[in-house]
Amino acid sequence: MENLDAARLQMAFTLIFHIIFACIGMVMPFFMIISHYKWLKTKDKTYLTLTKAWQKGVAIFFVTGAVSGTALSFELGLLWPEFMKYAGPIIGMPFSLEGAAFFIEAIALGFYLYGWDKLPERFHWFTGVIIGVSGVASGILVVAANGWMNAPSGFDYINGEFLNIDPIKAMLNPAWFTQALHMTLAAFTATGFAVAGIHAYQIYKKRNISLHTKAFKIAITFGAIAAILQPISGDISAKDIAKRQPVKLAAMEAHYHTQKGAPLYIGGIVNAEKKEVDYKIAIPNALSFLAFGDFDAEVKGLNDFPEDELPNVPIVHYAFQTMVGIGTLLLLVGIFYFISLKRKKWFGGTRFWLLFSFLAPMGFIALEAGWIVTEVGRQPWIIHKIMRTKDAVTPIPGIVFSFYMYLVVYLTLAVAVTWLMKRQINVLNQISE
């Protein structure tokens, strides 16, 4: 295995794991503080039990997120030294601010975990709010750095040199807002449906129904609202990509031929040799409208771009279809949930709980697919139109062994987290209603 392939695999594998830990760590504090608020208002001990259970989950994912995130920061220097040589001074600000947000989150978490019966009730609750806000801020800042890779700004590129660096302009690059909005909503959708699905399964098994029902309602409310709002974010992102990265848009849709009134493909199998999509459902003019707000707008096809600047079209297309398909499903189920609150006969029942149990992993599958679209769709560039990925990789041989080491570390983290969370659920189920 060559260095470039090993480095790409290592980065992809670690990101796939870290993004799950990070998103849960961003979102779960909000579930915790809502439950805590309900305890303060009602003094219902079920909410107190739930709050203390969720705080343990927050602590677990904070630790694992910190470990996996620290490993990723070392990877940037280990695998991509040429990238860090030039990009470090430019996008150092969001990483530095992310570090500050992380420390604030850590301090607030310490107050929250050990503040029971020691701090004033409302101040104690407010430390939980700080955990949630700083976690989301941390995620947004990291996404801002990734946005810079898709929309590099804040410098002048002259004769291969990065000059006149403006770190604030780099941080507030043209892609940061759309990516941060889309990612934040995706995190709330994925985590909301995942947590709700776990509690729905416990209800299906008739375990501590009162507690799990309360937990389900809190988690699914966040997940459903985020899922309903996500298409708005997706539309903003699509129009932004159409302007800044037309080749990525073309790859997402496997759109090979430039045309006005371009159709939108649903499904289909990419035939890379013939440069067409078989077995798809084509919606006339829809891609032109979604990309530019005009049914007759011209959409550039992949054939109009240099061959060496094209990403892996099948991977990008299938990942995009997966993301949109699951996102649409979760949107519909989110609407169904809110309707079921009005039509009581729809809420509860075996099929209801089985449906949400089945959907538990779907949000994270969509989220992973979305990141594949973002990262693979940018290839062959590590800094769009500035530096190619192959030119940024380390020349030092043996990166494949680093990949194997990280593989073991992240699999160990995954097993440990799974065991700890299963243990927490078992403890909850042993508490009498």
Side-chain angles (χ1 to χ4, degrees):
M1 187 184 297
E2 294 183 359
N3 260 20
L4 179 59
D5 294 329
R8 278 176 162 160
L9 274 175
Q10 181 172 326
M11 202 75 192
F13 183 81
T14 50
L15 275 171
I16 282 171
F17 272 83
H18 176 68
I19 197 171
I20 294 176
F21 299 146
C23 287
I24 296 175
M26 283 169 57
V27 175
M28 273 202 70
F30 291 96
F31 301 170
M32 177 184 74
I33 61 175
I34 292 298
S35 179
H36 191 169
Y37 180 79
K38 287 179 177 290
W39 151 247
L40 294 176
K41 285 293 184 183
T42 66
K43 296 302 179 182
D44 182 341
K45 288 189 177 180
T46 304
Y47 284 116
L48 178 61
T49 302
L50 179 59
T51 302
K52 291 191 173 183
W54 272 345
Q55 77 171 6
K56 291 177 182 177
V58 169
I60 290 168
F61 281 101
F62 176 82
V63 172
T64 52
V67 172
S68 59
T70 301
L72 268 172
S73 65
F74 281 109
E75 277 186 322
L76 288 172
L78 173 70
L79 304 177
W80 316 106
E82 282 299 306
F83 168 74
M84 290 305 295
K85 175 182 176 182
Y86 298 105
I90 303 173
I91 56 172
M93 179 173 283
F95 282 123
S96 299
L97 293 175
E98 190 275 335
F102 174 80
F103 283 121
I104 292 171
E105 184 180 4
I107 293 167
L109 183 60
F111 274 104
Y112 193 85
L113 292 176
Y114 299 104
W116 292 98
D117 302 321
K118 298 180 180 71
L119 298 173
E121 283 188 341
R122 292 190 179 278
F123 178 75
H124 182 221
W125 174 82
F126 186 68
T127 61
V129 175
I130 295 174
I131 296 170
V133 172
S134 57
V136 170
S138 180
I140 289 173
L141 288 163
V142 170
V143 171
N146 181 270
W148 179 84
M149 296 164 72
N150 286 295
S153 59
F155 64 92
D156 294 323
Y157 189 63
I158 302 171
N159 298 325
E161 296 291 328
F162 293 78
L163 306 173
N164 304 320
I165 294 172
D166 183 345
I168 295 178
K169 188 176 180 181
M171 182 173 69
L172 302 177
N173 58 80
W176 86 268
F177 177 75
T178 54
Q179 281 195 209
L181 177 64
H182 200 60
M183 178 62 205
T184 303
L185 287 173
F188 274 91
T189 301
T191 306
F193 273 90
V195 174
I198 290 170
H199 289 288
Y201 183 73
Q202 301 306 312
I203 298 168
Y204 170 72
K205 289 292 186 178
K206 303 187 184 308
R207 299 166 180 163
N208 206 340
I209 293 175
S210 176
L211 182 144
H212 288 298
T213 300
K214 288 178 171 63
F216 171 83
K217 287 182 177 180
I218 293 172
I220 197 59
T221 298
F222 278 96
I225 291 173
I228 292 169
L229 293 175
Q230 191 66 287
I232 299 172
S233 167
D235 181 66
I236 295 171
S237 296
K239 286 178 168 56
D240 180 54
I241 290 171
K243 294 177 181 177
R244 290 188 299 96
Q245 294 175 294
V247 65
K248 180 186 285 188
L249 177 73
M252 286 157 59
E253 286 294 330
H255 178 68
Y256 282 97
H257 306 287
T258 298
Q259 66 182 107
K260 293 182 177 181
L264 178 73
Y265 295 156
I266 298 176
I269 298 174
V270 178
N271 189 327
E273 291 184 2
K274 294 183 179 180
K275 296 186 175 181
E276 59 185 39
V277 182
D278 300 322
Y279 312 112
K280 79 276 187 181
I281 299 172
I283 303 176
N285 302 84
L287 179 57
S288 292
F289 180 76
L290 288 175
F292 300 105
D294 180 357
F295 286 106
D296 295 318
E298 182 178 270
V299 180
K300 290 188 70 175
L302 292 163
N303 293 339
D304 278 10
F305 298 96
E307 194 71 27
D308 66 347
E309 292 186 10
L310 299 183
N312 187 310
V313 177
I315 288 178
V316 177
H317 178 69
Y318 297 141
F320 180 68
Q321 293 287 315
T322 299
M323 177 186 70
V324 172
I326 294 176
T328 302
L329 173 62
L330 297 183
L331 161 68
L332 295 175
V333 173
I335 294 171
F336 164 75
Y337 168 71
F338 286 118
I339 294 174
S340 74
L341 294 178
K342 296 292 184 181
R343 299 192 176 186
K344 299 296 184 182
K345 64 179 181 180
W346 290 12
F347 186 90
T350 301
R351 291 181 181 178
F352 181 90
W353 301 121
L354 274 178
L355 170 64
F356 284 95
S357 300
F358 170 76
L359 293 174
M362 292 298 175
F364 280 109
I365 294 173
L367 188 146
E368 299 285 10
W371 269 103
I372 290 172
V373 171
T374 298
E375 296 302 295
V376 179
R378 189 181 62 245
Q379 300 305 312
W381 308 100
I382 192 169
I383 306 175
H384 186 58
K385 292 291 187 178
I386 300 290
M387 180 183 290
R388 290 177 181 266
T389 306
K390 67 179 182 180
D391 297 327
V393 72
T394 178
I396 299 174
I399 290 299
V400 66
F401 297 107
S402 171
F403 167 60
Y404 294 143
M405 181 187 74
Y406 271 74
L407 187 70
V408 171
V409 169
Y410 277 78
L411 286 175
T412 302
L413 278 175
V415 171
V417 169
T418 302
W419 179 80
L420 287 169
M421 296 312 296
K422 185 177 179 181
R423 183 184 176 198
Q424 285 301 115
I425 293 170
N426 289 338
V427 169
L428 270 181
N429 290 333
Q430 291 170 6
I431 299 172
S432 61
E433 297 187 46

